[in-house]
Amino acid sequence: MEDLAARARSAFDAARYFEAHEAWEDLWRAEPPGPRKQAAKGLAQWAAALVKRDRGEPRGAQKLWAKARATLEDPSRQLEQAFGISLRSVRAHLSAHGPDEGLPRLVDGRSSVDG
């Protein structure tokens, strides 16, 4: 599963959001029930929001952005980190920004906001 996570991070950083979405969706399906499964679902929704944005579908992008935020902010399932990503940083970004604003980079397993 680490290969899928690495592929998702790499695709996200290269702005290949559909590929990132597919990899995180595969992780979501493979994970047993629990916080990591929820994290994979939220990350897949986040990447899907960016796919919608890039396709010129702002309503769909906003809707999926909100779903990703809700999925990752579920207090009963929060993790600080999963799949080599700081989920705390991702949650903060999703709460403070919209799909048309600067995106975190998932570099070397750390999340940092770019622009």
Side-chain angles (χ1 to χ4, degrees), residues 2 19 22 63 89:
E2 286 307 310
E19 185 181 331
E22 291 293 308
K63 203 172 186 184
S89 295

Side-chain angles (χ1 to χ4, degrees), residues 5-78:
R7 192 176 91 211
R9 288 191 310 266
S10 177
F12 187 92
D13 281 347
R16 296 188 318 267
Y17 303 119
F18 185 78
E19 185 181 331
H21 162 75
E22 291 293 308
W24 277 323
E25 194 171 67
D26 289 345
L27 279 168
W28 173 37
R29 289 184 183 123
E31 282 290 329
R36 284 176 53 94
K37 186 175 191 81
Q38 191 76 1
K41 179 180 179 181
L43 292 168
Q45 290 169 326
W46 181 31
L50 297 170
V51 169
K52 293 284 188 185
R53 178 201 67 187
D54 289 351
R55 290 181 178 167
E57 301 173 33
R59 289 186 73 204
Q62 287 291 341
K63 203 172 186 184
L64 281 164
W65 192 270
K67 282 184 178 186
R69 187 175 63 225
T71 298
L72 292 170
E73 287 181 348
D74 181 345
S76 67
R77 297 179 183 235
Q78 278 189 8

